[in-house]
Amino acid sequence: MLRRFYTRSQVAGEISLPAVPGMIDEYVAMCAKLFATVGREFSDDELAHVRRVLEGQLAEAYAASQRSSIVISFKAPIGPTLHYQVRAQWRTLAQEYENWISTREPPLFGTEPDARVWALASEAPEPRAHRVLEIGAGTGRNALALARRGHPVDVVELTPKFADIIRSEAQRESLDVRVIVRDVFASTADLRQDYQLMVLSEVVPDFRTTQQLRGLFELAAHCLAPGGRLVFNAFLADVDYIPDQATREFGQQVYTGIFTRPEMSAAAAGLALELVGDDSVYDYEKAHLPPGAWPPTSWYADWVSGLDVFPVKREMSPIAMRWLVFRKTR
């Protein structure tokens, strides 16, 4: 009678989940439990078909973008049958960050320049002779602050609306800021080769491959003047922790692309770049930002500690964001 009772129900629903192909077993288990809960238990053969459908859509979504999801919709009329559909959805990085502008309250990334970036720039006694390249400048909190100090600044920004914000503010204040809207790896024709400082803040966590890391180091070797420095922040795994594929994929979904130290070293190998700085982002920014500026946003402290992937105490997280500084040796 209970089995018959559930088949008299009418069910409809939809679930959206981040696309993480390495977690396929979790998706299948969730579907099996959900369908059984509403009285439509699937057989092993039916669940095998669910797995195949999920695998295809997960692969399509994740390959398209790390800002991707799959949507599982289901509907059961009166009777024992349940119909389901799985579809992939995604946004490009530029689309995702443009969505931030329309859905989140500013400031999106904080109001002050990064303390680590500011400290490096402040070592230059003559800012006008210390040209800066910033990649992925967001709304310009680093680029504009450095330009106000007197540095000539070139910005390469992927998101057109961010570029418009920076360009508008620079024009309003008559700052020496040149804004280039494109993927930085598409060309070097419009970039100089005499930058004294190259900055990527909160950019490398969006990298998907070690090839992109290598591309970053090659770009630095090409664009920096001898003695110039590259500074960026990245999530690094603890030396005794090796992230599996599912962890890397999920990390990319929550703005936390993870690399190991051997991967970082291999990406820089053979280039005229030496590591001269390696600091905890959490510790450095907390200690050096101006009073009242820590944390820069409500989500920043947990995010840089790796807690968007691992919801544990900060000291237990096997990953953390680090400030890395490389100097061009020749």
Side-chain angles (χ1 to χ4, degrees):
M1 187 182 73
L2 287 174
R3 287 198 302 272
R4 179 63 69 188
F5 168 78
Y6 278 110
T7 64
R8 298 295 295 176
S9 65
Q10 298 182 64
V11 180
E14 185 175 278
I15 301 173
S16 178
L17 291 166
V20 185
M23 297 180 71
I24 179 64
D25 290 344
E26 296 299 322
Y27 295 94
V28 175
M30 183 199 69
C31 288
K33 183 177 181 180
L34 176 63
F35 298 164
T37 298
V38 298
R40 274 73 169 183
E41 187 169 357
F42 274 32
S43 67
D44 290 344
D45 287 344
E46 289 170 326
L47 287 176
H49 184 263
V50 170
R51 175 182 287 270
R52 289 193 294 272
V53 173
L54 285 166
E55 285 176 335
Q57 293 301 300
L58 285 168
E60 179 183 352
Y62 184 76
S65 173
Q66 64 268 58
R67 301 294 177 266
S68 57
S69 59
I70 59 164
V71 180
I72 305 168
S73 55
F74 54 93
K75 185 174 183 179
I78 291 177
T81 303
L82 182 142
H83 305 286
Y84 67 91
Q85 182 182 40
V86 182
R87 67 183 188 277
Q89 292 182 336
W90 60 83
R91 290 192 183 107
T92 65
L93 280 180
Q95 289 170 337
E96 180 70 10
Y97 285 117
E98 290 196 349
N99 184 59
W100 280 33
I101 296 174
S102 59
T103 60
R104 299 191 180 199
E105 289 292 325
L108 298 181
F109 305 101
T111 57
E112 297 291 331
D114 289 306
R116 192 71 186 95
V117 173
W118 190 253
L120 289 170
S122 297
E123 293 175 12
E126 179 47 60
R128 296 193 182 281
H130 202 86
R131 188 173 293 273
V132 177
L133 171 64
E134 183 171 15
I135 297 168
T139 54
R141 63 190 172 84
N142 283 319
L144 295 171
L146 293 173
R148 292 182 189 114
R149 187 175 185 268
H151 297 273
V153 179
D154 286 353
V155 167
V156 182
E157 174 54 56
L158 182 66
T159 305
K161 288 185 179 179
F162 283 168
D164 290 343
I165 291 170
I166 298 169
R167 189 182 291 113
S168 176
E169 187 65 21
Q171 290 174 350
R172 188 180 70 82
E173 298 185 37
S174 299
L175 298 174
D176 187 358
V177 178
R178 180 172 66 118
V179 182
I180 303 166
V181 186
R182 64 171 175 84
D183 180 345
V184 71
F185 295 120
S187 172
T188 59
D190 49 5
L191 299 179
R192 302 171 63 101
Q193 297 182 44
D194 62 347
Y195 297 107
Q196 296 292 330
L197 183 63
M198 181 172 163
V199 178
L200 292 90
S201 177
E202 304 179 18
V203 172
V204 175
D206 279 328
F207 283 9
R208 307 192 72 180
T209 66
T210 54
Q211 287 74 24
Q212 286 177 289
L213 269 184
R214 178 66 181 184
L216 167 61
F217 287 120
E218 290 176 345
L219 185 68
H222 176 78
C223 292
L224 286 173
R229 288 171 295 183
L230 163 68
V231 57
F232 63 92
N233 45 25
F235 283 97
L236 293 181
D238 289 350
V239 293
D240 57 350
Y241 171 66
I242 301 176
D244 60 18
Q245 187 62 24
T247 302
R248 291 178 185 267
E249 291 168 354
F250 181 64
Q252 290 180 18
Q253 287 282 9
V254 291
Y255 308 88
T256 311
I258 304 165
F259 295 101
T260 65
R261 288 188 177 276
E263 287 170 338
M264 192 67 66
S265 297
L271 299 173
L273 296 167
E274 64 171 345
L275 181 65
V276 295
D278 184 344
D279 299 283
S280 160
V281 170
Y282 182 98
D283 293 338
Y284 194 97
E285 297 301 308
K286 186 176 182 179
H288 294 92
L289 279 173
W294 174 263
T297 65
S298 60
W299 46 264
Y300 186 87
D302 282 355
W303 175 61
V304 301
S305 302
L307 305 192
D308 284 8
V309 177
F310 300 102
V312 296
K313 292 182 179 179
R314 190 172 70 86
E315 59 271 18
M316 294 177 62
S317 175
I319 62 171
M321 182 178 270
R322 308 284 300 181
W323 278 120
L324 302 179
V325 182
F326 286 81
R327 184 175 67 86
K328 186 175 179 180
T329 56
R330 62 179 185 277

